[in-house]
Amino acid sequence: MAGDQSEKKDLQQAAKAVLELNWTGHFTKPAQHMYPHQWAWDAGFIAIGEVHYNQKRAQRELRHLFKGQWKNGMVPHIVFNEDKSVKSYFPGSDFWKTERSSNAPQSINTSGICQPPVLATAIRHILDYAEDKEAALAFAEELYPKLKAWHDFLYRERDPDNERLVYIRHPWESGQDNSPAFDDPLDNIQSDSDQIPDYKREDLNFVDRGQRPSDSNYDRFIYLVDFFRKRNYDEKRIRRDGCPVMIQDALFNALLCRAGQDLAEIAERLSEDPKPIRQRANKTADAINKKLWNEEQKIYFDFDLKAGKQVESHELSGFLPFFAGIPDEAQAERMFDYLNTADFCRLDEYSLAVPSFDRRESGYSPTTYWRGPIWINLNWMLWEGLRQYGYDDYAQKVKNTIYALVETNGFHEYFDPDTGEGYGADQFSWTASLFLDIWYRDEKET
Ligand code: 9WN
């Protein structure tokens, strides 16, 4: 952890400077050149940190994101920068062709898929930490119907069998684009090269190839977008025509459960009826425990609907049902047993925060994006979750290493679990904002 108060203060200033740098006047970009648009779960994480010192901006972030909400309730994973000169990202708005769907908004360009639902959690956080409580309540009231429509979309369009578990249909929807959990599901896509539209990656202009998804991943990402746009983003049609990827993702569903609990809390504070929302969240928790828990392996897995089985890929996100209070005490003990090993991160003096994937698995890479590196958003959720379960020492350890990582290596997108070296984009917004959330909460608690 940062040595003394003044060093900690410098770090706090540096984190704010990252968010200032990436602020466009309308929303905060995840990073300067590499990610010039607004991303959905990034916006939630950014607001969570900003509310502590700039409530108005935190609210503006989310208001801007909801400008992109579709008529069917979907909050798209990208709301494109209205500055048309921005060309450094692929796929840009012209590739998505979302105008083919009557649900897409007309006033602003968006992508045609979504991202993990953290927005109700972010708005609850605003209610909890805002200085101007009255303004926060008015803001929550304004966005409440939109949040409800977003959750309703997921349960209506992505849960055809009424399991209270929703599926994702693109790895980008998971937020963990090239995680090893998608290796098998993506391998099943029979895509001859002539079925893949022409495209050119832009990400490799900014980051080493070895730190990003492979070309064969990208071919499949693009194949899927093409599959969706050919079907005008019509969820039923996409399903009927054999949507190639349908995964009940453990993190996505855990976050939906947590977001449901937070939405119920928001409802309560607005004197709306929280019961149906809470009941639905509880059913999602039960379904996660029934279908995604693996007793023997001591972790939650995704369920691949196409293959009809759990995807036995050992990811840090498999521990994040902690964040939504989903595991019971016995499950929590088993999970902690596994988390606290050299496979992930043993609680000792020398380890850093927790890698995104089990170090002993064959797909593990300390440098490659979601296949091993440390991500601050996942560790922030783990920190929160472990505290709820009373694993205070480990939570403290995770928090300390978040401090140490940004102090020594800067506000990178992800970090090497062995050396702490920073990879991906530099000056990355959610690394800065979630660090700030921890910083301010620490200040309040001491
Ligand atoms: C594709 C913006 C986003 C994050 C995702 C992260 C990465 C995009 C990309 O960047 O994804 O959506 O181009 O690689 O995987 O979690 O929201 O920061």
Side-chain angles (χ1 to χ4, degrees), residues 4-22:
D4 59 33
Q5 277 313 104
S6 71
E7 275 173 38
K8 278 178 76 180
K9 195 105 196 155
D10 287 351
L11 216 50
Q12 182 236 43
Q13 294 303 340
K16 287 185 183 173
V18 169
L19 295 175
E20 201 51 47
L21 174 75
N22 293 338

Side-chain angles (χ1 to χ4, degrees), residues 298-299 315-322 335 338-339 344 382:
K298 307 178 177 179
I299 194 167
E315 327 254 326
L316 170 53
S317 53
F319 297 112
L320 295 180
F322 271 138
M335 287 161 78
Y338 174 28
L339 176 67
F344 273 96
L382 185 67

Side-chain angles (χ1 to χ4, degrees), residues 3-212:
D4 59 33
Q5 277 313 104
S6 71
E7 275 173 38
K8 278 178 76 180
K9 195 105 196 155
D10 287 351
L11 216 50
Q12 182 236 43
Q13 294 303 340
K16 287 185 183 173
V18 169
L19 295 175
E20 201 51 47
L21 174 75
N22 293 338
W23 173 247
T24 62
H26 304 282
F27 65 89
T28 302
K29 298 183 259 187
Q32 269 301 291
H33 303 294
M34 180 134 168
Y35 302 120
H37 308 291
Q38 187 178 34
W39 266 260
W41 78 332
D42 299 61
F45 294 132
I46 290 167
I48 282 172
E50 275 178 345
V51 65
H52 296 284
Y53 69 99
N54 192 343
Q55 177 183 349
K56 281 206 175 103
R57 190 170 284 182
Q59 294 177 184
R60 279 184 77 182
E61 301 282 356
L62 298 175
R63 220 179 248 126
H64 185 271
L65 182 74
F66 274 101
K67 273 171 73 176
Q69 185 168 32
W70 285 34
K71 289 196 196 79
N72 59 3
M74 182 177 83
V75 178
H77 100 298
I78 298 177
V79 174
F80 286 103
N81 198 325
E82 286 177 274
D83 176 352
K84 301 282 178 273
S85 64
V86 169
K87 296 261 184 273
S88 59
Y89 186 78
F90 177 81
S93 62
D94 49 340
F95 190 85
W96 286 91
K97 304 201 187 310
T98 49
E99 68 281 359
R100 291 181 183 176
S101 166
S102 55
N103 282 318
Q106 308 209 319
S107 57
I108 199 158
N109 289 318
T110 75
S111 68
I113 58 173
C114 58
Q115 252 189 343
V118 298
L119 302 171
T121 301
I123 293 176
R124 157 112 191 248
H125 207 78
I126 290 180
L127 285 175
D128 286 347
Y129 291 99
E131 205 179 312
D132 184 345
K133 295 281 181 212
E134 219 174 289
L137 207 62
F139 172 71
E141 191 162 23
E142 173 195 331
L143 290 204
Y144 180 69
K146 298 177 197 284
L147 282 174
K148 265 182 72 184
W150 162 223
H151 289 200
D152 288 350
F153 160 83
L154 288 170
Y155 284 109
R156 189 184 61 244
E157 302 290 348
R158 299 297 187 88
D159 178 21
D161 295 329
N162 218 4
E163 295 180 79
R164 295 299 186 237
L165 279 182
V166 304
Y167 69 82
I168 57 171
R169 51 173 164 77
H170 194 298
W172 282 337
E173 292 199 316
S174 74
Q176 303 185 80
D177 317 347
N178 72 339
S179 110
F182 298 118
D183 289 356
D184 285 348
L186 286 181
D187 265 356
N188 289 333
I189 297 182
Q190 305 296 331
S191 61
D192 307 331
S193 52
D194 64 347
Q195 287 184 286
I196 301 166
D198 282 343
Y199 73 95
K200 185 178 162 295
R201 293 178 66 165
E202 296 289 343
D203 56 324
L204 301 178
N205 297 332
F206 308 107
V207 170
D208 279 0
R209 179 174 279 281
Q211 295 172 24
R212 292 284 303 173

Side-chain angles (χ1 to χ4, degrees), residues 86 98 240 249 371 423:
V86 169
T98 49
R240 195 194 58 212
D249 181 270
R371 304 179 73 86
Y423 299 134

Side-chain angles (χ1 to χ4, degrees), residues 11 404-413 415 420 422 426-427 431:
L11 216 50
L405 277 173
V406 299
E407 190 187 16
T408 316
N409 303 289
F411 295 93
H412 275 274
E413 192 180 0
F415 300 87
D426 192 6
Q427 316 264 56
T431 303

Side-chain angles (χ1 to χ4, degrees), residues 422-436:
Y423 299 134
D426 192 6
Q427 316 264 56
F428 188 68
S429 293
W430 85 41
T431 303
S433 62
L434 294 176
F435 163 78
L436 283 168

